[in-house]
């Protein structure tokens, strides 16, 4: 039995790359949005991902097995309200994605409006508007192949009659609604939105039209409703105005930006959002304030801890991340390249079986005569003031001062991850943390070497987030002591001024 969504009279968070991740979607729903779209996710990224139940976070995660990236994360609070937007040029791949995802999202939207070169060159986005047979085949395949509603989002054409004719053709596939951005493929946000073109489409179709592109005139909920009236629609999809201040959906008016940022950070920590994605979204909120002292601090931040410290939420971040760590969360630190399993299937080290058998690599036994010293250490660039303080530089100076040969670095790459091993003074050193680039892998291995030789302090590495504390160590005791008095809201737990260890998924 097919599920249904009434797309009339809806306020919608538009699909926005790097913005429409779980924390922002939940924030929009909390402030009054009726539906929330994911960022556009390319079909093959989803098809190579694995579905995991994240018991620590209470989420469903789709994980890219080549590097541990969370491709899509959802939770019960957005069930029935989250729409997956996909980028695709293939009916076969689109249907495969739809059938894989239909139990975890409320609907599927096909992006037919993205004007970016990478999308057009791949036959996706706005390119589909000029390839009507392919566009219709994708929509028809989805409508017939999945149990949830299917929609698409388009841009207007230079010729309005052509736009209406196109929209009618797309409507004939059985889609439930269509989003219309009132600009052509060559126009950008600085260009005025063509509200009349959206109205022409809305008046010509019998399915709901969701108006999009009016952020220049939107600062509060009332403006959204007026934009809908001018476009002859009852539903509006808000992008940049929501990106700047998501409380634009509130019936009682928008909130101060700092309040919105703090609530966004609370959700980002709660759902273990990546620091880079969190930083990007906060930068979009700050806009011109990126050049302010707070903006500069944000620009220099690399970890979630550092971001939260700016808004006096560091304690909440530390305690939450430690609690997740001790609960056994599978974050970036648990990510391992895929290796060949004994039964011919492929598994990720320490994780569940993966779907793909390609690129799977066999582990060879360690037959090297030199002892291997290993620690789970990651390299966080912002921990180091300048190049002279970097681990590799410190290790080089350590060798010179002690009359030792220079360290020799060997880097191993598997899938999209890197791990380095150092040969130094008759021993080998490596980190069990797989980095996303070669340079960081070498720096992490150098940190392990410096730690083992007593140049770096374990306590300092834990404090700055390069290492995680032992479960039964002092950091664990700190968390246990605060559990009974800690609330879900940031800033309300008591502190004793003691420096807390920082946990980061890097």
């Amino acid at each position: 039995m097919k599920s249904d969504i009434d797309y009339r009279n809806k306020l919608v968070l538009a699909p926005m790359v790097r913005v429409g991740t779980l924390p922002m979607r939940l924030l929009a729903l909390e402030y009054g949005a009726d539906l929330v779209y994911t960022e556009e996710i390319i079909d093959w990224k989803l098809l190579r991902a694995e579905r995991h139940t994240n018991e620590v976070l209470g989420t469903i995660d789709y994980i890219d097995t080549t590097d541990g990236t969370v491709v899509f994360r959802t939770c019960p609070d957005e069930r029935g309200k989250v729409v997956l937007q996909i980028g695709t040029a293939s009916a076969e791949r689109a249907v495969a994605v739809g059938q894989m995802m239909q139990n975890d999202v409320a609907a599927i939207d096909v992006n037919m409006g993205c004007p970016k070169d990478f999308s057009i060159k791949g036959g996706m986005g706005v390119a589909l508007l000029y390839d009507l047979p392919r566009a219709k085949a994708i929509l028809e395949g989805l409508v017939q192949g999945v149990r949830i509603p299917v929609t698409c989002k388009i841009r207007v054409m230079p010729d309005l009659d052509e736009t209406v004719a196109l929209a009618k053709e797309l409507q004939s596939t059985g889609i439930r609604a269509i989003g219309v951005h009132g600009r052509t493929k060559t126009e950008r946000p600085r260009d005025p939105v063509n509200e009349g073109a959206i109205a022409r489409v809305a008046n010509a179709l019998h399915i709901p039209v969701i108006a999009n592109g009016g952020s220049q005139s939107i600062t509060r909920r009332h403006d959204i409703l007026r934009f809908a009236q001018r476009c002859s629609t009852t539903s509006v999809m808000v992008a940049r105005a929501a990106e700047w201040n998501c409380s634009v959906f509130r019936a009682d008016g928008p909130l101060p930006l700092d309040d919105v940022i703090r609530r966004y950070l609370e959700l980002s920590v709660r759902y273990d959002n990546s620091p880079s994605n969190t930083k990007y979204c906060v930068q979009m909120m700050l806009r011109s304030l990126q050049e302010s002292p707070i903006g500069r601090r944000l620009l220099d931040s690399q970890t979630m801890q550092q971001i939260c410290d700016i808004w006096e939420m560091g304690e909440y971040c530390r305690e939450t991340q430690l609690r997740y760590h001790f609960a056994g969360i599978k974050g970036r630190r648990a990510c391992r390249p895929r290796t060949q399993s004994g039964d011919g299937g492929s598994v990720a080290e320490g994780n569940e079986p993966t779907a793909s058998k390609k690129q799977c690599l066999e582990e060879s036994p360690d037959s090297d005569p030199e002892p291997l010293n290993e620690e789970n250490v990651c390299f966080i660039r912002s921990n180091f003031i300048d190049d002279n303080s970097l681990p590799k530089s410190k290790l080089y100076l350590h060798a010179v001062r002690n009359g030792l040969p220079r360290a020799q670095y060997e880097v191993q790459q598997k899938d999209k991850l890197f791990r380095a091993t150092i040969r130094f003074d008759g021993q080998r050193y490596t980190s069990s943390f797989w980095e996303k680039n070669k340079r960081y892998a070498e720096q992490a291995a150098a940190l392990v070497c410096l730690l083992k030789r007593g140049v770096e302090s374990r306590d300092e590495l834990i404090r700055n987030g390069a290492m995680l504390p032992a479960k039964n160590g002092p950091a664990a005791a700190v968390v246990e002591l605060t559990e009974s008095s800690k609330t879900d809201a940031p800033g309300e737990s008591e502190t004793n001024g003691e420096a807390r260890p920082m946990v980061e998924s890097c």
Side-chain angles (χ1 to χ4, degrees):
M1 181 177 179
K2 284 186 176 283
S3 61
D4 196 14
I5 294 177
D6 184 357
Y7 284 91
R8 293 176 173 84
N9 300 303
K10 294 293 187 291
L11 300 186
V12 183
L13 179 70
M16 292 178 281
V17 174
R18 299 184 69 186
V19 174
T21 46
L22 181 59
M24 190 66 76
R25 300 196 305 265
L26 292 176
L27 194 63
L29 291 172
E30 183 176 304
Y31 287 146
D34 300 300
L35 295 172
V36 289
Y37 280 53
T38 70
E39 61 180 337
E40 178 194 25
I41 306 178
I42 307 303
D43 51 14
W44 56 263
K45 286 189 176 181
L46 287 164
L47 291 175
R48 77 179 184 191
E50 287 183 353
R51 184 183 188 273
H52 292 261
T53 299
N54 190 324
E55 295 180 355
V56 177
L57 297 179
T59 60
I60 298 298
D61 300 345
Y62 284 81
I63 307 295
D64 184 336
T65 56
T66 65
D67 63 5
T69 301
V70 178
V71 179
F72 172 67
R73 170 170 287 163
T74 185
C75 72
D77 286 348
E78 64 174 1
R79 189 168 184 83
K81 299 177 181 179
V82 60
V83 179
L84 171 68
Q85 187 184 70
I86 60 172
T88 186
S90 163
E92 181 181 0
R93 289 198 302 271
V95 172
V97 167
Q99 292 176 346
M100 179 177 74
M101 304 287 294
Q102 62 185 341
N103 292 326
D104 295 318
V105 297
I108 292 179
D109 182 82
V110 178
N111 186 344
M112 298 186 178
C114 180
K116 302 296 185 182
D117 285 345
F118 83 89
S119 189
I120 294 175
K121 290 177 181 178
M124 302 178 292
V126 76
L128 291 173
L129 301 184
Y130 299 88
D131 189 352
L132 188 57
R134 186 193 298 266
K136 291 181 67 175
I138 291 171
L139 295 178
E140 288 169 350
L142 282 168
V143 168
Q144 296 168 13
V146 301
R147 300 186 303 273
I148 56 179
V150 176
T151 63
C152 68
K153 183 172 181 287
I154 68 171
R155 283 181 170 245
V156 297
M157 316 283 275
D159 185 323
L160 294 188
D161 290 335
E162 188 178 358
T163 303
V164 172
L166 171 73
K168 287 182 176 179
E169 288 287 337
L170 299 177
Q171 175 182 253
S172 71
T173 63
I175 57 176
R176 297 304 313 280
I178 185 168
V180 180
H181 185 126
R183 295 182 178 87
T184 66
K185 72 173 185 177
T186 60
E187 292 177 326
R188 294 298 177 262
R190 63 180 177 272
D191 297 310
V193 62
N194 192 336
E195 297 172 348
I198 299 175
R200 280 277 305 273
V201 176
N203 291 327
L205 302 186
H206 61 74
I207 62 174
V209 168
I210 308 172
N212 178 232
S215 284
Q216 289 178 347
S217 63
I218 293 173
T219 59
R220 59 199 309 113
R221 186 185 182 101
H222 178 68
D223 298 330
I224 302 175
L225 302 178
R226 292 187 63 181
F227 177 64
Q229 292 175 345
R230 295 195 300 269
C231 295
S232 297
T233 69
T234 62
S235 297
V236 174
M237 185 178 284
V238 184
R240 287 177 300 123
E243 174 185 88
W244 299 330
N245 187 331
C246 202
S247 67
V248 71
F249 292 109
R250 290 181 79 244
D252 295 333
L255 295 170
L257 185 59
D258 273 350
D259 292 351
V260 175
I261 291 175
R262 287 191 180 95
R263 180 56 181 154
Y264 171 75
L265 291 177
E266 184 180 0
L267 290 168
S268 294
V269 172
R270 162 67 181 86
Y271 288 100
D272 196 34
N273 199 46
S274 76
S276 59
N277 180 251
T278 301
K279 178 179 177 179
Y280 176 83
C281 290
V282 176
Q283 284 180 307
M284 295 303 100
M285 294 184 211
L286 289 179
R287 301 174 69 190
S288 62
L289 295 176
Q290 290 188 50
E291 296 303 319
S292 69
I294 284 180
R296 299 303 303 178
R297 283 186 65 189
L298 178 64
L299 185 63
D300 293 337
S301 299
Q302 186 174 339
T303 70
M304 189 69 80
Q305 168 68 51
Q306 293 164 344
I307 297 169
C308 287
D309 277 338
I310 299 172
W311 280 272
E312 300 178 347
M313 296 176 61
E315 193 67 17
Y316 168 73
C317 179
R318 275 188 291 267
E319 292 178 357
T320 302
Q321 291 186 329
L322 281 172
R323 193 165 67 250
Y324 288 167
H325 166 56
F326 297 144
I329 193 170
K330 295 286 187 181
R332 269 283 289 119
R333 287 185 180 273
C335 180
R336 300 289 185 273
R338 293 169 293 174
T339 57
Q340 195 71 28
S341 65
D343 60 3
S346 57
V347 298
E349 297 172 2
N351 290 308
E352 298 173 21
T354 63
S356 173
K357 293 183 180 180
K358 294 181 179 180
Q359 302 181 9
C360 297
L361 304 168
E362 293 189 8
E363 294 283 1
S364 56
D366 186 3
S367 57
D368 199 296
E370 294 182 344
L372 179 64
N373 300 274
E374 183 178 76
E375 293 277 357
N376 190 265
V377 176
C378 71
F379 173 72
I380 301 174
R381 180 62 181 87
S382 58
N383 285 339
F384 304 92
I385 299 173
D386 52 43
D387 289 351
N388 291 330
S389 67
L390 290 171
K392 288 182 67 175
S393 299
K394 292 178 72 172
L395 182 58
Y396 172 76
L397 290 175
H398 176 74
V400 171
R401 289 167 182 166
N402 290 276
L404 299 171
R406 293 176 56 180
Q408 301 297 313
Y409 293 83
E410 301 171 3
V411 179
Q412 179 184 24
Q413 178 181 0
K414 293 186 179 181
D415 295 326
K416 294 187 291 184
L417 299 172
F418 297 82
R419 184 180 180 185
T421 300
I422 293 177
R423 294 181 183 275
F424 185 72
D425 195 22
Q427 297 198 51
R428 292 178 299 149
Y429 303 88
T430 189
S431 173
S432 59
F433 182 91
W434 289 76
E435 298 279 0
K436 290 190 176 182
N437 69 58
K438 176 179 178 290
R439 292 181 295 106
Y440 278 27
E442 291 178 339
Q443 298 288 2
L447 269 177
V448 174
C449 183
L450 292 169
L451 170 66
K452 293 295 188 179
R453 298 184 69 88
V455 180
E456 288 285 350
S457 161
R458 183 177 297 270
D459 288 344
E460 177 64 16
L461 292 180
I462 291 174
R463 189 197 66 77
N464 66 30
M467 293 185 70
L468 295 178
K471 186 168 185 178
N472 297 320
V478 169
V479 174
E480 289 170 1
L481 286 173
T482 60
E483 281 297 323
S484 59
S485 62
K486 189 161 59 66
T487 68
D488 287 336
E492 294 183 6
S493 57
E494 294 294 323
T495 65
N496 58 10
E498 180 181 357
R500 301 293 180 88
M502 178 171 60
V503 180
E504 186 50 61
S505 58
C506 297

